[in-house]
């Protein structure tokens, strides 16, 4: 027989690639979703006593809408000494969710834990979860916080 196992296997694996390349050349280009991107103005979080903004990193939030989906986006960082789940700030009045919004945020690396939960509730309270007396949170950074807003 003139065909060995390798040539048969090679031909079988190449077939899907040839079919995919053909469908890519005849595919209709994607069209941008209606609405595009809209970004609101940054607004400062109203910090609770004992929570301070890090120099040059004022904690702020804004709403960003991408193709009809709205996200809360945050930036900045705080210094604190949290030994329990603690309310750290309040959202500005115009930026309150209709349901709980949650995201992970970087924190001081202690005992191998380097993230905490950032949560905003419908009343506008921003709470950080994950601290305890044996593993306090001494800073939280918000630049990675982005969550769907409803």
């Amino acid at each position: 027989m003139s065909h060995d196992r390798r040539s048969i296997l090679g031909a079988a694996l190449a077939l899907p690639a040839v079919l995919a390349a053909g469908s890519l050349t005849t595919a209709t280009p994607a069209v941008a979703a209606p609405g595009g991107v809209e970004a609101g103005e940054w607004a400062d979080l109203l910090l609770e006593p004992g929570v301070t903004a890090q120099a040059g990193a004022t904690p702020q939030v804004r709403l960003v809408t991408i193709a009809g989906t709205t996200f809360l986006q945050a930036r900045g960082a705080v210094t604190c000494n949290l030994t329990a789940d603690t309310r750290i700030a309040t959202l500005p009045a115009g930026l309150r969710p209709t349901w709980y919004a949650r995201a992970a945020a970087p924190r001081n690396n202690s005992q191998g834990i380097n993230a905490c939960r950032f949560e905003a509730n419908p009343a506008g309270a921003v709470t950080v979860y994950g601290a305890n007396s044996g593993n306090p949170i001494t800073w939280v950074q918000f630049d990675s916080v982005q969550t769907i807003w409803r």
Side-chain angles (χ1 to χ4, degrees), residues 66-145:
I66 302 171
T69 301
T70 301
F71 299 86
L72 174 77
Q73 190 175 59
R75 69 179 181 187
V78 295
T79 301
C80 49
N81 187 23
L82 310 180
T83 57
D85 300 339
T86 305
R87 178 180 173 159
I88 62 162
T90 302
L91 294 169
L95 298 176
R96 307 278 167 92
T98 59
W99 191 246
Y100 292 85
R102 297 176 177 107
R107 58 160 280 187
N108 56 295
N109 188 355
S110 177
Q111 301 175 7
I113 299 171
N114 58 10
C116 58
R117 187 171 87 206
F118 170 102
E119 179 179 284
N121 70 22
V126 175
T127 302
V128 169
Y129 292 88
N132 61 55
S133 59
N135 190 359
I137 295 176
T138 59
W139 60 263
V140 180
Q141 202 271 344
F142 301 120
D143 289 353
S144 66
V145 170

Side-chain angles (χ1 to χ4, degrees), residues 29-59:
V31 177
V37 177
E38 294 178 30
E41 295 295 318
W42 289 104
D44 293 351
L45 286 174
L46 308 168
L47 300 177
E48 294 292 318
V51 178
T52 57
Q54 290 183 1
T58 302

